[in-house]
Amino acid sequence: MDKQAKIYVAGHRGLVGSALIRELHRQGYTNIVVKTHAELDLINQEAVNAFFMVEKPDYVFLSAAKVGGIGANSTYPAEFIYQNLMITTNIIHAAYKNNVKKLLFLGSSCIYPKMAEQPIKEESLLTGALESTNEAYALAKITGIKMCQAYNQQYGTKYISVMPTNLYGINDNFDLETSHVFPALIRKFHQAKINNEPIVTIWGTGAPIREFLFVDDLAEACIYLMNTYEEDKIVNIGTGVGVTIKELAESIMQVVGYKGELVFDTSKPDGTPIKINDVSYLNSLGWKAKVSLLDGIKRTYEWYKSKS
Ligand SMILES: NC(=O)C1=CN([C@@H]2O[C@H](COP(=O)(O)OP(=O)(O)OC[C@H]3O[C@@H](n4cnc5c(N)ncnc54)[C@H](OP(=O)(O)O)[C@@H]3O)[C@@H](O)[C@H]2O)C=CC1
Ligand SMILES: C[C@H]1O[C@H](OP(=O)(O)OP(=O)(O)OC[C@H]2O[C@@H](n3cnc4c(=O)[nH]c(N)nc43)[C@H](O)[C@@H]2O)[C@@H](O)[C@@H](O)C1=O
């Protein structure tokens, strides 16, 4: 991408989209196009087509999606499959029709089979049954991957797909019902500390293992791949390091300075028992995560306090 290229970041107010905008600006990209959800509903095919015809972006980061944690995914599977299929197909097809030079599709590590061998290699895709709590969302994301590959095969486009692990950072969703575990725990421990509450409740057993990547690292990796990568093969993005939910809770508790007790609500689902991306392919392409989990927790908590 040259620095004047027209770049459309879909979902620019979200966790990933806003990190992409920060990193693009930091690297000196000057011609970035954005539209809020209210200005352009990406589910509306006509509106998406009209937008692409007028703007004719050179590059597209497809970071708009209906996103949520285990609670939201389990409760609203119809919204997750419908909205994500519509957003994905509308944007990819409009990109093709309007000669977009390159598009980067954001998938997720939840597209891999529930019992995939760990750490999860890109080759595990479609080798087994999916985790039931996010099957609808994962199927929409798998469709996005396959659509990019089909368009590359038939039309010679250059659409690449990345599979980030669980992300966290600035501009995350901190709603306790719909968020992912990381922002939920930041908020729960912060509130419990301020209100002198004796216990904080964690969903599930605390035993599941997840890998957490600071979103600024993810943004850097996406821009790096947009500039250097042209293969059909999907690319995992992560740290390659897993922690249990209990360990994550203890680390966040320490940073927040909360001294109470952890209680585990086992009526809530654990989801996938373990999910760690194999990042050897990404490393071989020349990129590695930089921000440690502890540093990322501190940076996110500082930002959260400044906003609350
Ligand atoms: N968060 C995570 O842990 C992970 C995320 N990813 C992927 O990264 C991508 C971005 O996720 P993330 O940033 O966390 O999600 P967010 O929910 O933070 O951001 C999504 C953005 O998309 C916008 N959006 C959603 N629906 C529409 C629509 N119909 N029309 C226009 N805009 C819309 C939202 O706007 P509004 O809020 O106004 O609706 C929001 O700005 C997704 O593809 C997700 O699958 C992958 C792995 C992990
Ligand atoms: C990124 C990924 O995110 C989703 O999958 P997930 O990794 O299971 O997401 P999660 O962050 O919501 O939970 C991780 C673990 O943490 C536990 N947990 C404890 N306490 C809270 C809590 O307070 N809130 C939440 N949400 N979880 C909690 C929770 O029970 C689970 O064991 C996918 O739906 C899918 O959309 C996807 O792509």
Side-chain angles (χ1 to χ4, degrees), residues 105-265:
F105 173 67
L106 268 293
S108 164
S109 59
C110 76
I111 51 118
Y112 293 117
K114 174 174 184 161
M115 303 314 274
E117 195 180 315
Q118 303 291 320
I120 312 171
K121 288 196 184 306
E122 286 87 352
E123 290 74 18
S124 296
L125 178 61
L126 292 173
T127 57
L130 297 164
E131 156 62 26
S132 60
T133 55
N134 60 36
E135 189 179 55
Y137 173 76
L139 285 169
K141 290 284 168 190
I142 292 169
T143 301
I145 296 168
K146 292 296 169 189
M147 204 169 160
C148 287
Q149 292 172 344
Y151 278 55
N152 291 346
Q153 188 188 326
Q154 187 176 342
Y155 301 135
T157 51
K158 288 180 188 162
Y159 300 162
I160 61 174
S161 299
V162 299
M163 301 306 125
T165 189
N166 291 40
L167 303 169
Y168 68 93
I170 290 158
N171 291 327
D172 209 341
N173 166 21
F174 289 83
D175 179 291
L176 292 180
E177 295 302 315
T178 59
S179 73
H180 290 101
V181 61
F182 192 108
L185 295 187
I186 293 269
R187 181 169 175 176
K188 284 180 183 178
F189 285 124
H190 180 69
Q191 283 185 341
K193 180 183 155 183
I194 288 177
N195 301 327
N196 284 317
E197 290 162 14
I199 61 163
V200 162
T201 305
I202 312 289
W203 293 358
T205 60
I209 296 176
R210 295 288 183 275
E211 173 198 14
F212 294 94
L213 179 72
F214 191 55
V215 73
D216 292 49
D217 265 351
L218 184 266
E220 193 192 279
C222 288
I223 295 165
Y224 178 79
L225 291 171
M226 185 69 114
N227 275 317
T228 58
Y229 188 71
E230 288 198 354
E231 306 298 318
D232 251 0
K233 182 177 167 176
I234 61 176
V235 185
N236 286 344
I237 305 183
T239 63
V241 179
V243 292
T244 66
I245 296 302
K246 183 165 182 276
E247 286 165 346
L248 174 74
E250 287 166 350
S251 298
I252 294 180
M253 198 172 163
Q254 196 192 339
V255 170
V256 172
Y258 174 69
K259 306 266 188 265
E261 195 191 330
L262 295 182
V263 171
F264 293 90
D265 176 0

Side-chain angles (χ1 to χ4, degrees), residues 11 13-16 37 40-43 63-65 67 87 106-108 137 141 164-167 180:
R13 285 179 162 177
L15 174 69
V16 171
H37 192 155
L40 173 62
D41 185 351
L42 295 167
I43 286 171
S63 49
V67 177
I87 292 169
L106 268 293
S108 164
Y137 173 76
K141 290 284 168 190
T165 189
N166 291 40
L167 303 169
H180 290 101

Side-chain angles (χ1 to χ4, degrees), residues 31-83:
N31 193 2
I32 300 169
V33 187
V34 293
K35 287 277 180 204
T36 63
H37 192 155
E39 290 165 343
L40 173 62
D41 185 351
L42 295 167
I43 286 171
N44 181 332
Q45 189 179 31
E46 257 177 62
V48 172
N49 287 343
F51 166 77
F52 272 81
M53 274 172 68
V54 170
E55 292 294 346
K56 299 270 182 210
D58 298 311
Y59 297 89
V60 173
F61 288 91
L62 209 179
S63 49
K66 169 85 176 165
V67 177
I70 196 166
N73 269 273
S74 313
T75 314
Y76 309 110
E79 291 177 29
F80 274 79
I81 195 162
Y82 171 70
Q83 294 184 26

